[in-house]
């Protein structure tokens, strides 16, 4: 049954604040997911024409294009923006919607290591996932110190695709790291603080995700300085999306 009340409960908000992620089930219908996959296929075909033979590569693109109008419009859907406002503030700012096509699994990493940047990502897998087949894994509480920096210190992060120093020294695999596994059906969504460590194993060719990113409005001098530094990296909204507010 598709969710009707889009507001989060106090318990859900507390879960996100403490553990750094939140799962919501049956957020989108099968018909809506089919429409997302249609737009994904259309955009992916165009991307492949632009980049040549795909091989074993990771593909990412913005959804704020003419080829993906349904997904682009979801930023105005309360199922996407309302929980973001509850989690990081009513003055939070939409940043981007993107799609990914993964060729394999993804090693352990946080999306950001600057804890002065408040940002969240909501993602939906467009195919079913399981622990052995590409499900996202998150380490609860790893969005905060000391755990966040402890994971950096021991070398869990994979530097420039060279392999995790910690996993190599310990003899463990990425699957051995204690975590929550987000086994999902299309229509389910997970939202995480982008400082939260996450990974996926048992991946497969064209493992698909659709993401929606929001920034919290910086308040302190350190937060403002970090956001200004991030802004210099040149992230921009697509002109088509800006010209079509509806």
């Amino acid at each position: 049954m598709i969710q009707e009340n889009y507001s989060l409960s106090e318990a859900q908000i507390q879960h996100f604040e403490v553990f750094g992620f939140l799962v919501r089930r049956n957020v989108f219908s099968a018909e809506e997911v089919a429409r997302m996959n249609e737009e994904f296929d259309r955009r992916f075909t165009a991307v492949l024409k632009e980049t040549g033979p795909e091989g074993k590569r990771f593909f990412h693109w913005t959804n704020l294009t003419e080829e993906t109008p349904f997904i682009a419009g979801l930023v105005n859907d309360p199922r996407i923006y309302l929980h973001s406002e509850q989690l990081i503030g009513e003055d939070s700012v939409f940043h981007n919607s993107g799609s990914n096509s993964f060729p394999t699994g993804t090693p352990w990493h946080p999306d950001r290591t600057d804890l002065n940047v408040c940002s969240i990502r909501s993602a939906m897998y467009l195919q079913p996932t399981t622990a052995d087949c590409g499900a996202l894994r998150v380490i609860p509480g790893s969005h905060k110190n000391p755990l966040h920096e402890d994971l950096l210190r021991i070398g869990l992060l994979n530097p420039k695709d060279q392999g995790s120093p910690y996993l190599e020294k310990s003899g463990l695999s990425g699957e051995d790291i204690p975590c929550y596994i987000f086994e999902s059906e299309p229509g389910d969504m997970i939202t995480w603080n982008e400082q939260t460590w996450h990974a996926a194993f048992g991946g497969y060719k064209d493992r698909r995700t659709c993401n929606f990113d929001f920034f919290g409005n910086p308040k302190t001098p350190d937060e403002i300085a970090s956001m200004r530094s991030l802004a210099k990296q040149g992230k921009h909204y697509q002109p088509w999306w800006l010209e079509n507010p509806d």
Side-chain angles (χ1 to χ4, degrees):
M1 181 178 179
I2 300 304
Q3 189 176 331
E4 294 181 356
N5 181 6
Y6 307 137
S7 295
L8 300 179
S9 67
E10 186 61 30
Q12 287 176 306
I13 295 172
Q14 289 177 343
H15 181 100
F16 179 83
E17 291 174 349
V18 172
F19 298 112
F21 72 96
L22 178 68
V23 171
R24 295 180 294 153
R25 303 288 182 183
N26 300 315
V27 179
F28 289 95
S29 69
E31 292 75 18
E32 290 172 314
V33 172
R35 193 168 178 184
M36 293 181 206
N37 268 308
E38 289 174 4
E39 293 191 349
F40 190 108
D41 288 335
R42 183 161 57 245
R43 182 61 186 141
F44 196 14
T45 298
V47 169
L48 290 177
K49 288 180 180 178
E50 296 166 2
T51 58
E54 55 181 307
K56 293 184 177 180
R57 290 182 292 164
F58 163 72
F59 292 91
H60 170 79
W61 59 85
T62 179
N63 291 318
L64 307 181
T65 71
E66 295 175 286
E67 294 165 311
T68 54
F70 177 72
I71 301 175
L74 290 178
V75 66
N76 296 314
D77 191 306
R79 290 172 291 182
I80 296 299
Y81 74 77
L82 184 58
H83 75 284
S84 300
E85 292 180 351
Q86 288 186 269
L87 294 175
I88 58 174
E90 292 184 0
D91 56 354
S92 60
V93 178
F94 169 68
H95 174 229
N96 190 34
S97 171
S99 286
N100 300 316
S101 174
F102 296 93
T104 58
T106 308
W108 286 107
H109 69 285
D111 292 325
R112 304 191 189 281
T113 56
D114 184 347
L115 301 188
N116 287 314
V117 175
C118 176
S119 59
I120 63 172
R121 168 166 290 184
S122 294
M124 178 173 64
Y125 284 84
L126 299 182
Q127 310 112 319
T129 66
T130 65
D132 298 325
C133 196
L136 187 75
R137 299 167 181 240
V138 295
I139 301 178
S142 61
H143 60 307
K144 296 180 180 180
N145 286 329
L147 182 54
H148 183 89
E149 289 188 354
D150 282 344
L151 295 171
L152 285 170
R153 177 179 53 78
I154 66 173
L156 183 59
L157 189 64
N158 181 352
K160 298 182 180 179
D161 298 325
Q162 297 300 311
S164 161
Y166 173 74
L167 295 179
E168 291 178 356
K169 292 177 182 178
S170 66
L172 299 174
S173 68
E175 293 94 325
D176 293 325
I177 301 300
C179 65
Y180 171 83
I181 303 174
F182 173 56
E183 295 187 313
S184 65
E185 292 293 330
D188 297 340
M189 296 201 75
I190 183 169
T191 299
W192 68 89
N193 184 311
E194 289 197 296
Q195 281 88 8
T196 301
W197 287 70
H198 54 284
F201 301 102
Y204 48 86
K205 186 177 179 180
D206 194 22
R207 178 168 57 92
R208 300 180 170 192
T209 65
C210 184
N211 309 321
F212 301 89
D213 303 336
F214 287 79
F215 283 120
N217 193 16
K219 302 292 195 304
T220 70
D222 287 342
E223 290 172 349
I224 292 171
S226 290
M227 187 60 71
R228 284 176 174 168
S229 176
L230 188 63
K232 292 179 181 179
Q233 296 179 15
K235 300 290 185 180
H236 300 289
Y237 296 108
Q238 293 291 310
W240 175 86
W241 186 77
L242 291 174
E243 293 167 2
N244 293 271
D246 296 330

